Amino acid sequence: MSGRVCTSILQRASCYTVTLSFSSSSQYVHPVVYPSSHLQHTQYCRLSTWSTSRRARSCCNLKKAGNGSQKGRKLSTRQDLDFQLSRVQINGILRSNEQTVSVPEFDGRGLNAVRKFESNQLAANTPNEDRRSAATCLQSKGMLFGVFDGHGGWACAQAVSERLLYYIAVAMMSKQSLEELERCMEHGRAVPPILQWYKHHTDFNYRDSASLYIEHLRVFWQEILDSEEHGDGMSPSDALACAFKRLDADISLEAQVPLSSDLMKSTAIQVAFAGSTACVAHIGTDGIHVANAGDCRAVLGVREKDGSWSALPLSKDHNSQNQAEVERIKAQHPPSERNTVITDDRLLGVLMPLRAFGDVRFKWSLELQQSILASLESGGDLDSLNLYQYIPPNYLTPPYLNVAPEITYHKLRPQDHFLILGSDGLWDELGNEEAVRLVGEHLSGIHIQAPVSPSEKQMKLGQMLELLLKRRARASPALDSNAATHLIRHALGTGEYGDLCQERLASMLALPEDLARMYRDDITATVVYLNSDLAKPHHN
């Protein structure tokens, strides 16, 4: 991918300084470009100094936050914030995107490993950059669930949420089924459905790009058919790995080739330059396969013999907190870059997740990036597409990023009751164990309290009162029938003793657009209830 070096960005860099601004929970450090002379007269607030941990976000802290300011615009003042949302308003906000789907125990092809699923989303960005997907594989067995966390805009997460499950399903289809698909396409007949989608009424599709997406999906299955080893279809593990990498390659290709319309071209470039993490679970009667790229997460809810709940992570976060992941990336670049590949806990000091779809700024050569952006400049406004001409620091030996997923497999057991898929906005607020306990107790309606320990029996009166308050809070009845909504409510509204603080929740939901993203991320949660009877001995 060599070519002439475009000098326009280098010329601009000599007279402009790039200042990087971000909230500490943001996936990207966004570039803000000012003339160098202007910076001498400007006070610039790095949003990384804002606290984002739930424990630090008291209602009092939220009230103080309105007095802050950011360069170039005035943030809302305390007087602008209305914290007096009623319970009805709170419920309306929390429940506007919730989804509940019951799945037939027997779907005509065999028993289902899924009984039902519940899902919900709450935006912090405008528009929401998270996406979710759920579908049944009609030409092979099992169900697919995905959570996608976009950054640099929503374009990439949108495209991946529409397309990835098709790629996975096609890879698992038998050669005979793929041949039938190809015959139908060749003769203009109706193509047998590949997926049964479970859509929310607010879900959006790139309708203008549908023909392009079908065309590249067809090329994918044609290449599979040319392989002599395909036979009965790929295993879920191989299909997940292959689909992630193939879709990312198609996203990259589509941004480089001529397309039939300017709208399709601009969409393809937006998708490629934005990014998205992805966590996808294939659930079949044999078990759960999870493919993860980035910092979304899959956590299994397990009920122990004593009735308590425990969490079993089925994915690992790909960020700077994962030392093995950091070492993997450093090993792919010269020793001279060991101190620059990961800086400020971000890839090249810019990107928080260390695996992702899109994000071609971290994959393409500089020459290719500049060539593609230059082709857009002649026919449109880059700013209108949310594209900026900047180069990540120390961009010496690309690619620095890939989407190869980490695959895990878990064989279903009788004690496995549900799977939580969540974007990092959920896990920023809740730990694995806390999330599983919330769903488990919501499912069973039973709040397990550990017996008082010998050390607790020696507590002073004030300490014992605090323990009792925590226990009473845990035993409060659930306000939501949907477990994903229940998770989001507790993620944002849990008080000091584990109780739901109405004022805290109202404060978090009443934040205006210019403040919301500083205190929380977009949150997506999907809770999949498993048919654990399949794992009992009489079904073996």
Side-chain angles (χ1 to χ4, degrees):
M1 297 194 293
S2 61
R4 66 179 180 83
V5 177
C6 180
T7 59
S8 62
I9 187 69
L10 301 176
Q11 291 167 347
R12 291 181 204 175
S14 65
C15 59
Y16 282 74
T17 298
V18 178
T19 302
L20 300 177
S21 162
F22 60 95
S23 93
S24 58
S25 64
S26 175
Q27 300 281 35
Y28 260 137
V29 176
H30 296 286
V32 181
V33 183
Y34 304 115
S36 298
S37 58
H38 179 71
L39 289 177
Q40 318 172 32
H41 308 290
T42 303
Q43 289 187 345
Y44 191 78
C45 173
R46 277 179 63 92
L47 299 185
S48 59
T49 59
W50 290 72
S51 170
T52 58
S53 68
R54 188 187 71 192
R55 301 305 176 192
R57 291 185 201 148
S58 68
C59 301
C60 178
N61 286 341
L62 285 174
K63 292 175 182 177
K64 292 177 181 177
N67 297 323
S69 65
Q70 185 181 3
K71 194 262 150 224
R73 66 188 171 103
K74 182 180 179 183
L75 296 184
S76 301
T77 64
R78 171 64 184 91
Q79 288 73 25
D80 292 329
L81 303 182
D82 178 11
F83 291 98
Q84 305 306 311
L85 291 179
S86 69
R87 191 176 296 272
V88 171
Q89 289 173 310
I90 289 172
N91 290 342
I93 294 170
L94 288 176
R95 296 171 183 170
S96 61
N97 293 310
E98 70 179 11
Q99 180 184 29
T100 300
V101 176
S102 294
V103 180
E105 183 178 359
F106 185 81
D107 65 359
R109 297 167 300 133
L111 286 170
N112 269 328
V114 174
R115 295 191 297 108
K116 70 173 181 176
F117 69 90
E118 297 169 337
S119 184
N120 201 355
Q121 292 184 303
L122 181 70
N125 290 291
T126 306
N128 189 357
E129 295 182 351
D130 278 7
R131 293 293 186 272
R132 58 185 171 176
S133 296
T136 295
C137 298
L138 295 176
Q139 306 295 329
S140 59
K141 294 184 178 180
M143 293 186 69
L144 290 165
F145 298 90
V147 170
F148 313 95
D149 186 354
H151 47 264
W154 51 267
C156 189
Q158 175 62 42
V160 174
S161 70
E162 289 182 48
R163 305 175 68 183
L164 181 59
L165 271 56
Y166 276 117
Y167 279 66
I168 297 167
V170 161
M172 290 191 295
M173 288 170 60
S174 68
K175 190 169 186 177
Q176 181 180 356
S177 297
L178 292 178
E179 288 172 342
E180 176 62 19
L181 286 184
E182 183 59 23
R183 281 193 295 271
C184 289
M185 292 291 287
E186 285 180 353
H187 296 95
R189 301 199 306 265
V191 175
I194 298 171
L195 294 172
Q196 177 186 337
W197 286 91
Y198 303 97
K199 298 279 190 179
H200 189 264
H201 65 86
T202 60
D203 286 351
F204 167 79
N205 285 316
Y206 277 135
R207 298 190 185 280
D208 294 296
S209 300
S211 60
L212 174 68
Y213 294 170
I214 293 170
E215 177 187 339
H216 278 180
L217 181 66
R218 184 184 181 186
V219 172
F220 178 46
W221 80 54
Q222 287 173 337
E223 292 183 11
I224 292 175
L225 283 172
D226 288 340
S227 168
E228 297 179 356
E229 302 176 357
H230 190 68
D232 293 332
M234 296 184 196
S235 67
S237 292
D238 291 342
L240 287 163
C242 179
F244 269 62
K245 289 180 279 191
R246 179 53 182 254
L247 176 56
D248 195 51
D250 283 353
I251 287 171
S252 178
L253 176 65
E254 289 157 9
Q256 300 174 53
V257 300
L259 297 177
S260 59
S261 73
D262 290 342
L263 179 57
M264 285 176 62
K265 181 67 175 177
S266 61
T267 298
I269 292 177
Q270 277 185 292
V271 169
F273 276 83
S276 179
T277 63
C279 187
V280 176
H282 176 271
I283 303 178
T285 53
D286 59 333
I288 302 172
H289 292 83
V290 173
N292 186 54
D295 49 13
C296 294
R297 194 181 302 169
V299 179
L300 189 67
V302 180
R303 188 155 197 182
E304 305 295 346
K305 291 181 179 179
D306 63 0
S308 64
W309 294 94
S310 65
L312 178 63
L314 296 187
S315 66
K316 296 176 182 176
D317 297 351
H318 299 133
N319 55 32
S320 62
Q321 305 307 307
N322 181 337
Q323 196 56 41
E325 185 70 3
V326 170
E327 290 302 319
R328 179 187 69 83
I329 292 177
K330 287 183 176 181
Q332 295 175 350
H333 300 276
S336 59
E337 293 187 61
R338 281 193 65 83
N339 294 328
T340 59
V341 172
I342 308 290
T343 58
D344 295 329
D345 293 329
R346 294 170 184 253
L347 184 65
L348 298 178
V350 178
L351 186 64
M352 186 175 287
L354 302 182
R355 303 190 197 191
F357 282 93
D359 281 320
V360 294
R361 290 195 196 279
F362 302 88
K363 298 173 181 177
W364 287 356
S365 69
L366 292 177
E367 293 86 354
L368 179 58
Q369 292 184 43
Q370 295 307 318
S371 173
I372 297 300
L373 292 178
S375 70
L376 264 187
E377 275 189 317
S378 60
D381 179 12
L382 289 180
D383 288 342
S384 69
L385 299 178
N386 293 318
L387 295 176
Y388 308 96
Q389 295 215 33
Y390 77 98
I391 303 169
N394 301 297
Y395 198 75
L396 305 173
T397 56
Y400 288 89
L401 185 71
N402 67 49
V403 79
E406 191 168 10
I407 311 288
T408 57
Y409 168 71
H410 177 81
K411 183 176 175 59
L412 281 176
R413 307 168 299 176
Q415 63 265 40
D416 301 329
H417 284 262
F418 54 85
L419 179 71
I420 304 173
L421 291 172
S423 62
D424 74 325
L426 177 71
W427 307 111
D428 285 343
E429 312 295 339
L430 296 175
N432 293 353
E433 295 288 345
E434 187 177 9
V436 165
R437 179 186 63 78
L438 284 167
V439 174
E441 293 180 351
H442 183 268
L443 174 63
S444 65
I446 300 172
H447 302 273
I448 303 297
Q449 304 284 15
V452 177
S453 66
S455 62
E456 288 174 334
K457 291 179 180 179
Q458 306 302 316
M459 285 181 174
K460 294 181 180 179
L461 185 59
Q463 294 171 317
M464 182 62 74
L465 176 61
E466 183 173 330
L467 176 65
L468 292 173
L469 287 172
K470 289 181 179 179
R471 287 176 168 240
R472 186 172 69 178
R474 283 189 58 181
S476 300
L479 299 175
D480 303 290
S481 59
N482 184 299
T485 308
H486 183 66
L487 282 174
I488 295 173
R489 184 186 296 271
H490 279 264
L492 298 182
T494 298
E496 184 179 356
Y497 297 113
D499 58 325
L500 275 170
C501 171
Q502 191 76 2
E503 185 182 10
R504 180 196 296 270
L505 186 58
S507 299
M508 294 298 288
L509 295 179
L511 287 168
E513 292 178 5
D514 58 357
L515 280 179
R517 188 59 186 86
M518 298 179 191
Y519 285 94
R520 58 181 175 85
D521 197 357
D522 302 325
I523 300 177
T524 297
T526 297
V527 180
V528 184
Y529 297 96
L530 304 170
N531 185 2
S532 53
D533 286 344
L534 289 176
K536 293 180 179 178
H538 62 272
H539 283 293
N540 288 344

